[in-house]
Amino acid sequence: MSVRVRFAPSPTGYLHVGGLRTALYNYLFARHHNGKCILRIEDTDRTRFVENATENLIKYLSWAGIEFDESLVEGGDYGPYVQSERFDLYREHAQILLESGNAYYAFDTPEEIDAMRQRQQAAGIAPKYDRSVMRNQYTLGDSETKNLIDGGAEFVIRLKVPAMSEVRFSDIIRGEVVVQSKDVDDQILLKSDGFPTYHLANVVDDHLMQITHVIRGEEWLPSTPKHVLLYDFFGWERPQFAHLPLLLNKDKSKLSKRQGSVAVEDYVEKGYFKEAFVNFIALLGWNPTADREIFSMQELIDNFSLEKVNKSGAVFDTTKLDWMNSQYLRILPFSDILEMLKPVLEKHNFVGFDDEYLLKVIDLLKERVIFVYQIPVFAPYMFEEIQEFEIEYMNKHWKENTTEMVKELLQKFIETTDFSHSNLSAITKQYVESLGMKLGNIIHPLRLMITGKSVGAGMFETMEVLGKEKSINRISKFIEMKESGKI
RNA sequence: GGUCCCAUCGACUAACGGUUAGGUCACCAGCCUUUCACGCUGGCAGUAGGGGUUCGAAUCCCCUUGGGAUCACCA
């Protein structure tokens, strides 16, 4: 039987980084086994409906390079892929459970349930639906139950958890898990509005969609016994479960909004490459070899296995992500970087540069920054005239004879027709040597005049990219300013 | 609190009974150098604690401790 997995997010607004990792592992697992990866939208909670949330989810999943074989976009043979379009199915299945005696009607109001919990808490026992005293099919009797329903009373359908037995299941990542059924609550399956809860919808859909492996976050582990019971009651074969370790805040609690960005879109906004982000996320909780850090999507697919997924949670610390981004800045095709650079430059109002020039600038600076957006911040002088000179830098390197030297060197720059960095270097070195001086005596003043800053890429490389005209103009202009005492 | 899950450097992790407990990020130092980076070299730093099992335990078992998740007519 071929592998079929699903990513089943609830459209509550944005794609969570933990959700992205779950989606990614599902995707990697499916691709690794030549199986199918399905996207199913779990929108059974009408009170949490968020406009455009599904579109947003799909947008960022797609940004990350995660493709689905079946979804509301691609279609497929097991649709619809949106739970709100499958309500009849859930009602039918709840009915099956009712008839087989594995589920029952209950009529308690939220207030009554609340009162029950308070009594239990006061008595120091775990809050759990008390089938023997609440208003339900068993305490009311079948005829009264029928009367209530016929009379239009609101009801829910609850799972009838067996009194004394063990629920056990095996998890690919965690091994055998055993829970006593007395600790499992009579979960509501169908809400009073007729909509299913996650538990029912999830099991029905996973079965109907022939999902072979349920790969989801660890937060679902405590409710898995309910799901297992449902599979058994329906007489269905259970899928294999794999509960992924959680992504954590620095304080080790479940990754949350309060302690930093958790929305994938925030990281896109911050300028991370999708390749770096996916690579980073993939290695949080799973590691194929440990002697390697950089993996392309295809390499992740080739190496992926659920057996190597860790059991313990991973702190989502982006320090390493920054390093990865810098690595990708070096290995990614120039054309990709160029496309990211253009909109960034526009924001700075640095316009009118041709691709050829921009490519040279990227090559010049990519090893000195970790984000594309830092290029114009690190080296604005590549895109505009110098706004400000670092005075301290000037004071440190500008001696009495510097102006004279610079003038002579400028003359040589003007005379040369070869403005390559190697030739510029040769000219300059020859000149300082003729004076019996060191390169450092002239290169810092040069850097100051050309860039205004004390830090940057190789000086002659910078001049080459900037070009003869601009380089010479900046030097002449600076000398004028210097001699007229303007600086 | 009940139930369940988890536990190797600060972080991500490797070692699936035998290693001086390895790698990466971060941090520190040195080298390189034209500044800043990159790069290279080296360094700091870990098996939560206690019992077993075994010739031998990070690894298997138990207890303790710690952390987390979950206990909704949310997913």
Side-chain angles (χ1 to χ4, degrees):
Chain A
M1 190 171 171
S2 73
V3 163
R4 289 176 58 82
V5 297
R6 85 296 194 281
F7 175 56
S10 178
T12 52
Y14 59 89
L15 180 60
H16 190 279
V17 293
L20 175 66
R21 194 193 54 169
T22 301
L24 180 64
Y25 283 12
N26 271 284
Y27 175 74
L28 297 177
F29 183 75
R31 285 287 175 274
H32 182 87
H33 293 283
N34 290 315
K36 297 275 189 266
C37 190
I38 292 134
L39 174 68
R40 183 175 73 224
I41 303 299
E42 309 227 327
D43 58 345
T44 53
D45 185 4
R46 42 147 63 146
T47 64
R48 294 219 292 183
F49 179 77
V50 176
E51 196 80 38
N52 294 326
T54 300
E55 289 73 11
N56 195 263
L57 235 28
I58 292 172
K59 178 180 171 187
Y60 288 100
L61 252 7
S62 159
W63 169 81
I66 296 172
E67 302 155 349
F68 293 96
D69 303 293
E70 298 171 25
S71 77
L72 68 162
V73 180
E74 277 80 15
D77 297 336
Y78 300 84
Y81 294 91
V82 179
Q83 290 188 327
S84 58
E85 296 170 22
R86 301 169 64 85
F87 284 148
D88 291 346
L89 248 21
Y90 311 128
R91 271 190 282 267
E92 287 165 21
H93 284 85
Q95 197 59 41
I96 293 172
L97 255 16
L98 242 18
E99 282 163 16
S100 63
N102 292 309
Y104 60 94
Y105 293 103
F107 303 92
D108 317 279
T109 63
E111 292 72 28
E112 288 167 335
I113 296 290
D114 211 44
M116 176 196 75
R117 288 207 186 96
Q118 286 188 12
R119 282 197 305 275
Q120 290 169 330
Q121 296 232 319
I125 54 176
K128 182 167 174 285
Y129 186 76
D130 189 342
R131 201 191 302 153
S132 64
V133 301
M134 301 303 283
R135 298 174 56 225
N136 57 55
Q137 196 176 340
Y138 300 108
T139 54
L140 264 27
D142 286 352
S143 63
E144 176 63 10
T145 297
K146 190 173 185 308
N147 287 342
L148 281 169
I149 291 168
D150 290 346
E154 286 211 335
F155 65 87
V156 298
I157 295 175
R158 285 181 180 269
L159 178 67
K160 189 184 177 193
V161 177
M164 292 287 279
S165 71
E166 263 181 7
V167 183
R168 57 172 67 225
F169 60 94
S170 73
D171 186 282
I172 295 173
I173 296 168
R174 281 150 221 291
E176 287 292 307
V177 179
V178 185
V179 177
Q180 300 305 314
S181 69
K182 67 175 173 59
D183 294 321
V184 180
D185 204 1
D186 276 8
Q187 182 65 46
I188 289 180
L189 264 18
L190 211 64
K191 299 180 257 183
S192 59
D193 60 7
F195 293 3
T197 56
Y198 169 85
H199 310 282
L200 207 221
N202 173 266
V203 168
V204 168
D205 287 345
D206 282 344
H207 172 72
L208 261 24
M209 293 181 179
Q210 295 187 22
I211 299 303
T212 58
H213 301 257
V214 170
I215 304 168
R216 73 218 318 187
E218 192 190 335
E219 68 266 29
W220 293 108
L221 201 52
S223 56
T224 304
K226 295 168 188 172
H227 306 160
V228 164
L229 246 19
L230 283 171
Y231 283 103
D232 292 355
F233 289 159
F234 280 120
W236 294 338
E237 188 186 343
R238 301 174 186 176
Q240 300 242 76
F241 292 101
H243 287 93
L244 270 21
L246 262 19
L247 252 31
L248 273 24
N249 291 311
K250 296 216 195 314
D251 69 358
K252 306 270 187 183
S253 59
K254 184 170 155 184
L255 190 61
S256 68
K257 216 188 285 190
R258 295 189 69 91
Q259 301 189 35
S261 300
V262 296
V264 173
E265 56 198 88
D266 291 343
Y267 293 89
V268 178
E269 187 63 30
K270 283 177 183 170
Y272 288 103
F273 291 113
K274 59 175 184 286
E275 291 85 351
F277 200 68
V278 165
N279 193 153
F280 176 69
I281 288 285
L283 264 31
L284 246 30
W286 168 74
N287 203 295
T289 54
D291 57 357
R292 216 183 125 184
E293 303 290 332
I294 303 298
F295 293 89
S296 67
M297 184 69 98
Q298 189 56 48
E299 289 168 329
L300 291 173
I301 290 169
D302 293 342
N303 289 292
F304 191 77
S305 82
L306 283 174
E307 286 72 19
K308 297 208 83 176
V309 172
N310 281 187
K311 291 182 175 71
S312 53
V315 173
F316 184 73
D317 180 347
T318 55
T319 309
K320 198 167 182 173
L321 171 59
D322 286 353
W323 169 78
M324 271 191 182
N325 213 66
S326 71
Q327 296 298 303
Y328 276 94
L329 189 48
R330 285 182 229 177
I331 60 181
L332 247 23
F334 275 47
S335 54
D336 288 12
I337 298 168
L338 180 64
E339 288 319 304
M340 278 183 88
L341 179 61
K342 283 179 177 173
V344 166
L345 291 180
E346 266 175 48
K347 277 190 191 158
H348 286 267
N349 244 322
F350 294 159
V351 292
F353 299 98
D354 58 35
D355 289 2
E356 193 192 352
Y357 177 72
L358 294 179
L359 254 13
K360 283 186 198 162
V361 173
I362 289 169
D363 193 31
L364 184 70
L365 300 168
K366 64 178 182 158
E367 288 191 5
R368 274 155 229 271
V369 296
I370 59 177
F371 292 103
V372 170
Y373 78 79
Q374 291 172 331
I375 289 176
V377 177
F378 182 78
Y381 51 82
M382 297 310 289
F383 310 102
E384 64 175 356
E385 286 311 305
I386 299 166
Q387 305 295 308
E388 202 179 357
F389 292 91
E390 275 185 34
I391 299 302
E392 267 185 44
Y393 186 51
M394 180 178 78
N395 292 341
K396 185 176 175 189
H397 294 284
W398 206 279
K399 314 285 192 229
E400 304 97 275
N401 61 346
T402 303
T403 307
E404 239 7 80
M405 286 170 64
V406 167
K407 277 170 138 178
E408 285 177 23
L409 187 58
L410 173 62
Q411 207 38 238
K412 295 182 189 297
F413 286 159
I414 290 171
E415 282 161 16
T416 186
T417 51
D418 179 4
F419 222 69
S420 69
H421 66 88
S422 52
N423 189 46
L424 290 170
S425 171
I427 292 174
T428 308
K429 277 179 180 158
Q430 194 180 37
Y431 174 67
V432 288
E433 273 164 23
S434 74
L435 297 176
M437 300 180 99
K438 284 182 181 172
L439 191 59
N441 293 87
I442 195 70
I443 206 147
H444 295 293
L446 223 38
R447 183 177 296 284
L448 177 76
M449 294 185 290
I450 304 283
T451 73
K453 303 176 72 167
S454 58
V455 300
M459 198 55 243
F460 302 117
E461 285 81 355
T462 302
M463 288 173 71
E464 178 185 322
V465 174
L466 219 38
K468 183 172 180 178
E469 192 186 335
K470 277 189 180 161
S471 300
I472 284 172
N473 280 346
R474 286 186 188 177
I475 295 171
S476 331
K477 214 169 123 192
F478 189 88
I479 294 171
E480 271 175 43
M481 284 165 64
K482 196 75 191 162
E483 293 192 318
S484 62
K486 282 181 187 163
I487 189 161

